[in-house]
Amino acid sequence: MVAPLYTTASGLLFHAGKILVVTIGLPARGKTHISRALERYLRWMGVKTQVVSLGDYRRKILGGTQKVPPDYFTLGEKSPETQELRKKVSEGCEKLIWEFFGNGGQVVIYDANNGTRKARLALAQKFDKAGIHVVLLETLCDNKEIIETNIRSVKISSPDYRGWDPDQAVQDYYKRIRDHEKYYETVTETTWPFIRIINVGEKIMVNNIQGYLQTRIVFFLMNIHNKFRTIYFARSGQSLIEHSYKADSDLSPAGWEYAERLKEFVLERRAKSLEQRGLSPQDRKLVIWTSTHRRAHHTAWPFLATAQASNIAEGLPMSSSPEPSSMLATPGQHMVSKIASPVLNVKVVEKPQMLEINPGIWDGLSPEQCKKYYPEDWERFLKDPYAFRAPRAESYHDLSVRLEPILIELEKEQEDLLIIGHASVIRCMLAYLIGLPASEIPAIEIARGDLLEVVPASYGVHSKAFHFWDGPGRRVLGDSDVGKNENNFYENYAEDTKGKRKVDTPIPPEGDLAGV
C-alpha cells in the first residue's frame, strides 16, 4: 500500500526517476480530467507532481478565444503571427516543465493535444536526452454522448467562451475538433511506454510500462471515470458513550434525531442539486458508506426506512434488510417519517477500513491527562500530529495507508455517494479530494452537524459546506469549539500544525471551499 510521506534519501519516490507524462488526444476527450485526477492521486502518495496545462498557459498570456488569431486552433498552414504565438506558448510550457524538474519535482503531466507524431517525437526526445522517463498517455473517445457532455459541462464554461451563447459555443468547439481531426495521428510508436485510455476508462491498453511508479499510474487510471456525481460527507450521530474508541455503543436519543435530520437535509440538498442539472433523484441511486461501528451505520438507517416506506407506497417489493423495520418499532425512534415519499433508491455499504483512528492507550483521555501521564509522547505529538503514533495507537499516516483501497473505490464509484463516518476518516478523504498536503490532515475541522458537498470536476473539485444541526453532540458544554469531545480529542480534535494553513470546514451555509 502507498500513503503520503514515503520518500527515499534522494528526495524522490521509489528511486523511480523523473517522469514526464505527455497527454495525447483530440479536444474534449477527457485529457484535463484525467490529468488532474492523476495529479491528485500522485500528490497523495507523496510524489511531487504538477500538471502543466497548455490551455491554461495560453489563456494566461494570450487571453480567451476572442483574443487569438482565427487560425490559432487549426492545424496546417498558419500565418506568421499565429506561428509566433504558438511557439511562445509551447516554449513557455516547456520552461515550466524544466523548472519544476529542476526544483526537485518528480512527475509532470503535460496536458496538451500533442496530436501530431512529429511534435510529440521532438518533445519526447528532448526530455529523454536529459534522463527523464517519457510516458505517452493517449485518450481516445468514440462515444458521442461523452464528448457532448464534456463540451457542455467543461469546455464552454472555460474563459475561452465567457459571454458566449451556449449553443454557439458548442458549435464553435465542434469546429475546433473537426480541424484537429484532419491532422490527428494516433500513437503507434513504441519507443516510449504508452497508455491508451478509451472512453475515459471503458478500456485501457498499456505498452512497455516500467517500474513501480509507472505501474501505480496505470493502476489508478484503470479505476477512474468522468461521470457526474456528488460526494457528501457527514459525521455519524452522537453515541451513548462518546469518549471511548473501544465501546461500540449505539446512538443516543439525540443521535437518532440527528440521523433523521441528516437524512432529510441530504435528500433535500441532493434533489435541489440534481434538479439544477435537469436530473431526477428518482433516476439515480444514492450509495451510503459507513464504518462497521454502530454509531456510523445506524446513522444511515433513516435512509433505509424512507426507501422502504416509499417502496411500499409505490407497491414495490420491500427491502430484505431488517434494520428499517426494527428501527420503526424501537422505542424512541418515532422520528422516522411514515409519510409516503418519492421512490428512494438507496444502498448502504459497511466498510471496516473506515473505522476511526485508533488512539491506543490515549483512548478516553483529555489533552491535560495525556500531557500529564505521557509528557514525552505529548511533545512528539505537538511536533508532528500527522506522523505521531501514541503507544498501541495509529498515526494519521497509518490511517492513510488503511484508507487507500477506499480512495480507489471512491474514484470508481459512479453513483452519488454519502460517506457517514468519523472525523479522522473524513479528514483523510477530504484532504485527498481537495488536494491538501498530508501535514495538514490533522488540522481539518469536521464538526458534527455540517454536511460537506464535493463535486469532482475536470479542473479540480467544487466544495461547499452546509450547516444543518445544532443539537446535542455538536457542542460540548462550556467548550467554545464545535464538535470536540474533551475525553476523545485524538479522534475529534483538529490539532495545531505549527503555522501551516488551517482549513475551516465548518463554515456558514452555502460557504465555498473550492479555494482551499
Side-chain angles (χ1 to χ4, degrees):
M1 291 301 175
V2 184
L5 299 187
Y6 179 65
T7 54
T8 62
S10 67
L12 301 178
L13 205 71
F14 313 115
H15 295 292
K18 298 181 179 181
I19 300 174
L20 174 64
V21 179
V22 180
T23 69
I24 301 160
L26 291 167
R29 262 54 178 184
K31 295 186 300 297
T32 297
H33 169 82
I34 291 171
S35 298
R36 296 295 178 182
L38 180 58
E39 177 190 43
R40 182 173 67 239
Y41 179 68
L42 292 177
R43 284 183 173 178
W44 170 260
M45 286 174 58
V47 181
K48 296 178 181 178
T49 307
Q50 179 172 305
V51 170
V52 174
S53 169
L54 186 140
D56 287 347
Y57 186 80
R58 185 257 306 162
R59 282 185 284 270
K60 181 179 179 180
I61 66 172
L62 302 181
T65 304
Q66 304 90 331
K67 298 181 180 181
V68 297
D71 62 342
Y72 188 89
F73 294 108
T74 61
L75 299 180
E77 294 297 324
K78 294 180 178 58
S79 65
E81 178 191 9
T82 298
Q83 291 179 15
E84 185 64 27
L85 290 176
R86 290 178 69 92
K87 181 180 178 182
K88 180 180 179 181
V89 171
S90 177
E91 290 179 347
C93 287
E94 289 186 27
K95 183 180 178 182
L96 292 177
I97 296 172
W98 287 117
E99 287 177 351
F100 184 74
F101 282 137
N103 292 328
Q106 183 165 20
V107 177
V108 172
I109 305 164
Y110 184 33
D111 178 17
N113 291 333
N114 297 306
T116 64
R117 189 173 295 110
K118 179 181 178 181
R120 61 180 177 257
L121 179 65
L123 178 71
Q125 287 178 338
K126 191 179 301 183
F127 285 92
D128 183 64
K129 288 179 180 178
I132 294 171
H133 303 294
V134 177
V135 177
L136 306 182
L137 174 57
E138 184 177 27
T139 61
L140 302 177
C141 185
D142 56 10
N143 187 316
K144 294 181 180 179
E145 182 180 348
I146 293 177
I147 297 172
E148 175 86 10
T149 300
N150 194 31
I151 292 174
R152 289 192 176 275
S153 64
V154 180
K155 298 304 180 183
I156 67 173
S157 61
S158 76
D160 284 346
Y161 294 104
R162 186 169 292 148
W164 282 54
D165 174 78
D167 291 332
Q168 290 181 352
V170 169
Q171 293 307 313
D172 182 82
Y173 204 84
Y174 269 122
K175 180 179 182 299
R176 188 188 301 186
I177 292 174
R178 288 192 294 270
D179 290 335
H180 278 78
E181 285 176 335
K182 297 175 184 177
Y183 300 93
Y184 182 78
E185 297 172 297
T186 189
V187 175
T188 57
E189 55 268 35
T190 58
T191 309
W192 296 278
F194 75 76
I195 306 167
R196 177 175 294 143
I197 300 177
I198 301 174
N199 292 335
V200 197
E202 183 179 293
K203 185 178 180 180
I204 186 168
M205 302 170 61
V206 298
N207 171 73
N208 200 27
I209 294 299
Q210 302 172 358
Y212 183 79
L213 188 51
Q214 291 185 26
T215 303
R216 294 301 299 187
I217 290 173
V218 173
F219 169 71
F220 176 77
L221 294 177
M222 291 174 65
N223 290 281
I224 65 171
H225 64 87
N226 69 341
K227 294 184 179 179
F228 169 76
R229 43 78 180 264
T230 303
I231 304 170
Y232 300 97
F233 293 92
R235 287 189 59 174
S236 55
Q238 182 190 51
S239 60
L240 294 169
I241 304 176
E242 280 278 279
H243 64 276
S244 175
Y245 167 83
K246 297 178 182 178
D248 186 12
S249 61
D250 208 339
L251 293 174
S252 67
W256 286 112
E257 293 178 12
Y258 168 91
E260 179 65 19
R261 177 63 187 130
L262 172 65
K263 181 261 300 183
E264 293 172 353
F265 189 82
V266 168
L267 297 185
E268 176 185 332
R269 174 61 198 163
R270 179 170 176 259
K272 180 180 178 181
S273 177
L274 290 175
E275 286 169 5
Q276 290 174 347
R277 290 180 168 265
L279 303 172
S280 171
Q282 286 77 46
D283 297 333
R284 295 172 63 91
K285 180 182 292 184
L286 175 63
V287 178
I288 302 175
W289 290 357
T290 77
S291 76
T292 52
H293 273 178
R294 293 180 185 180
R295 62 180 176 276
H297 67 82
H298 285 189
T299 305
W301 280 12
F303 291 90
L304 294 173
T306 298
Q308 191 172 83
S310 63
N311 287 342
I312 293 173
E314 294 291 326
L316 299 175
M318 292 179 61
S319 169
S320 59
S321 173
E323 287 89 350
S325 300
S326 61
M327 183 180 166
L328 286 167
T330 303
Q333 311 310 311
H334 59 277
M335 75 290 295
V336 178
S337 173
K338 297 183 181 180
I339 301 174
S341 59
V343 174
L344 174 61
N345 189 359
V346 65
K347 176 183 178 182
V348 178
V349 183
E350 297 176 22
K351 295 185 175 293
Q353 300 99 322
M354 286 176 53
L355 289 173
E356 68 187 71
I357 192 169
N358 186 342
I361 63 174
W362 285 15
D363 187 23
L365 299 183
S366 68
E368 289 73 22
Q369 290 171 322
C370 291
K371 185 176 182 180
K372 177 181 178 181
Y373 301 136
Y374 306 98
E376 294 182 2
D377 288 332
W378 181 257
E379 290 301 318
R380 290 172 50 223
F381 168 72
L382 293 179
K383 289 179 181 178
D384 192 352
Y386 174 78
F388 171 77
R389 181 189 295 117
R392 297 194 292 277
E394 286 181 302
S395 66
Y396 271 97
H397 179 77
D398 299 327
L399 180 59
S400 298
V401 173
R402 167 152 59 91
L403 286 173
E404 195 208 8
I406 298 296
L407 298 179
I408 296 300
E409 289 189 55
L410 186 70
E411 293 289 352
K412 291 176 65 174
E413 182 59 63
Q414 299 184 16
E415 304 289 352
D416 292 335
L417 181 62
L418 168 62
I419 295 173
I420 300 175
H422 311 286
S424 53
V425 171
I426 295 177
R427 286 187 186 108
C428 291
M429 299 180 76
L430 191 63
Y432 166 76
L433 284 171
I434 64 180
L436 290 179
S439 59
E440 296 184 20
I441 290 175
I444 302 176
E445 289 276 11
I446 305 294
R448 180 177 286 133
D450 290 341
L451 178 72
L452 308 179
E453 178 184 276
V454 178
V455 180
S458 293
Y459 290 91
V461 296
H462 303 294
S463 308
K464 291 182 178 180
F466 302 90
H467 172 60
F468 67 92
W469 172 261
D470 272 318
R474 178 172 174 86
R475 291 183 180 273
V476 177
L477 189 61
D479 189 352
S480 61
D481 295 314
V482 296
K484 296 186 178 180
N485 187 300
E486 186 70 10
N487 293 319
N488 195 16
F489 84 96
Y490 200 74
E491 155 71 12
N492 291 308
Y493 268 51
E495 302 300 341
D496 184 6
T497 53
K498 297 297 180 184
K500 297 182 178 66
R501 181 181 53 183
K502 192 170 183 178
V503 183
D504 296 322
T505 44
I507 53 183
E510 302 284 343
D512 194 355
L513 290 174
V516 168

